[in-house]
Amino acid sequence: MSTQRLVRTALVLASATAVAVAAAACGGTGSSSGGDKTVTVYSADGLGDWYKTQFAKFKDQTGISVNEVEAGSGEVVNRVDKEQSNPQADIVVTLPPFIQKAAKSGLLQDSGVDTGVVADADKDPGGKYVTLAGNYLCFIANPRVANSDKLTWDDLLKPDYKGKVQYSTPGQAGDGTAVLVLLQQLYGKQGALDYLAKLQPNNVGPSSSTGKLQPKVDNGELLIANGDVQMNLQQIKDKGAKFNVFFPATADGKHSTVAVPYVMGMAKGAPHKDAAKKLMEYLLSADVQKTLGPDAVAVPVRKDLKDAPAPAGTISPAGYVKDVTVINPDWTKVLTDLDGDVAAYQKATGS
């Protein structure tokens, strides 16, 4: 064998040895091991500030860092779908019906996390997902809008709001999908389409992320937009946002909303499964769940904390929906009808 061939053979063997050593360090085939030092979370926007605090504490306790990637509810799931051949996410946190869509599309796996502290209605019986925090659909209004707490759905159709209303896009954003679902509950499917068609002259246009609407209402670019109680109240509490939270009423004066919880699941093919399981268990622990109310203005999901009163001096999400009818849709049925409902919505609104 020539000297050059010997050198090439030695290099190939050295390279193979390096790959084998690296694979062993990562669990052999790219699966996770107890030594994982980073977990990647793809999350719908809204919990960012709370995450920063809790992920820092998690790292202090375990040595595991958390990389959070934030986007709209539907966008989060679409990204996981596109990355199936090379999974990047370990944990997915999004709103219904997108978490159900992820499970149905085979993008989630049983996490192995003990979810006995969570009510059956707040988790998937197959272990694919579990609610992290309770939340509700709402709307926000710039202070220039007088008596926003008394606004009705019909009020939003007034010419005064032309080009000053925006809601996130059904089928793309969880809160935007909830707007469509709520209107269907109130007026029926055709009635919801008729209403949104009438609202279209006032609607600025599509938005894949509800979170992007908050600053526009705050600075007066928009007068009214949809949102959710947790995200909006946290902006008021932590950032001093100048908008009011309200729930549009029907003609008879009744206010309604839809429950839109943050739900988490482990991504199929999660590169760091063991570390991801530890993070999910940590986020469901009593100590962390207790911080949801005072720090994130969200509702704990644990059965032993769900109805606990808010700590003195803190904003209570439950207080905001005290006199509001909360609708809990069958999100599996919503998902089944979603493609057809979105197509009908696009046709009705010309969007």
Side-chain angles (χ1 to χ4, degrees):
M1 183 180 292
S2 69
T3 301
Q4 287 182 332
R5 291 185 64 186
L6 284 171
V7 170
R8 284 199 298 269
T9 301
L11 289 172
V12 169
L13 289 172
S15 177
T17 301
V19 170
V21 170
C26 292
T29 61
S31 62
S32 65
S33 71
D36 290 333
K37 295 300 179 183
T38 302
V39 175
T40 296
V41 177
Y42 284 6
S43 180
D45 47 11
L47 289 173
D49 290 339
W50 181 73
Y51 280 149
K52 287 177 184 177
T53 300
Q54 295 307 322
F55 291 166
K57 290 180 180 179
F58 179 71
K59 183 179 180 181
D60 288 343
Q61 292 181 21
T62 65
I64 300 170
S65 299
V66 183
N67 172 39
E68 189 228 343
V69 178
E70 195 170 276
S73 308
E75 190 177 344
V76 164
V77 174
N78 289 339
R79 182 165 179 170
V80 175
D81 188 20
K82 291 175 183 176
E83 295 173 351
Q84 284 191 75
S85 61
N86 183 28
Q88 301 297 307
D90 295 297
I91 295 173
V92 180
V93 181
T94 190
L95 308 186
F98 298 104
I99 195 71
Q100 286 83 4
K101 180 180 180 180
K104 185 178 180 181
S105 301
L107 302 179
L108 303 177
Q109 61 177 310
D110 185 346
S111 66
V113 172
D114 182 357
T115 58
V117 296
V118 179
D120 289 345
D122 293 322
K123 60 188 177 185
D124 171 47
K128 297 292 180 62
Y129 54 81
V130 59
T131 298
L132 170 62
N135 195 16
Y136 312 96
L137 172 71
C138 68
F139 278 71
I140 53 176
N142 183 274
R144 287 157 48 195
V145 178
N147 300 315
S148 58
D149 60 320
K150 294 182 172 57
L151 286 175
T152 67
W153 290 101
D154 287 340
D155 288 331
L156 305 191
L157 303 176
K158 292 179 178 178
D160 310 35
Y161 301 120
K162 186 174 183 179
K164 290 294 184 179
V165 174
Q166 191 171 17
Y167 58 92
S168 50
T169 308
Q172 294 184 33
D175 294 317
T177 303
V179 170
L180 178 60
V181 170
L182 176 57
L183 288 168
Q184 289 175 337
Q185 296 285 330
L186 297 176
Y187 302 118
K189 288 199 173 187
Q190 188 57 50
L193 296 176
D194 293 343
Y195 175 83
L196 290 170
K198 293 176 185 176
L199 183 64
Q200 198 62 10
N202 292 354
N203 181 30
V204 172
S207 174
S208 62
S209 171
T210 310
K212 294 178 181 178
L213 306 183
Q214 294 181 116
K216 295 180 180 180
V217 177
D218 192 30
N219 65 26
E221 181 181 344
L222 295 172
L223 291 180
I224 293 172
N226 74 306
D228 64 62
V229 171
Q230 179 276 323
M231 180 167 56
N232 297 146
L233 291 184
Q234 187 171 49
Q235 285 294 307
I236 293 171
K237 178 178 77 75
D238 295 342
K239 311 293 184 183
K242 300 177 183 64
F243 47 65
N244 301 313
V245 172
F246 74 101
F247 304 87
T250 47
D252 58 4
K254 293 181 180 178
H255 302 267
S256 301
T257 186
V258 169
V260 284
Y262 292 97
V263 189
M264 65 178 173
M266 184 179 291
K268 183 179 179 181
H272 313 101
K273 182 177 179 181
D274 294 344
K277 180 181 177 183
K278 290 179 183 178
L279 179 57
M280 292 178 70
E281 290 171 339
Y282 171 81
L283 293 174
L284 289 176
S285 68
D287 286 345
V288 174
Q289 285 277 308
K290 285 177 182 176
T291 69
L292 278 168
D295 295 348
V297 205
V299 181
V301 71
R302 289 177 61 101
K303 290 182 286 188
D304 53 345
L305 298 175
K306 207 169 187 180
D307 298 322
T314 63
I315 302 172
S316 169
Y320 272 77
V321 298
K322 181 179 62 173
D323 299 318
V324 178
T325 299
V326 177
I327 297 169
N328 290 282
D330 179 346
W331 288 110
T332 301
K333 178 68 165 60
V334 170
L335 178 62
T336 299
D337 296 346
L338 187 60
D339 288 346
D341 288 346
V342 169
Y345 160 79
Q346 292 171 337
K347 181 178 180 181
T349 59
S351 58

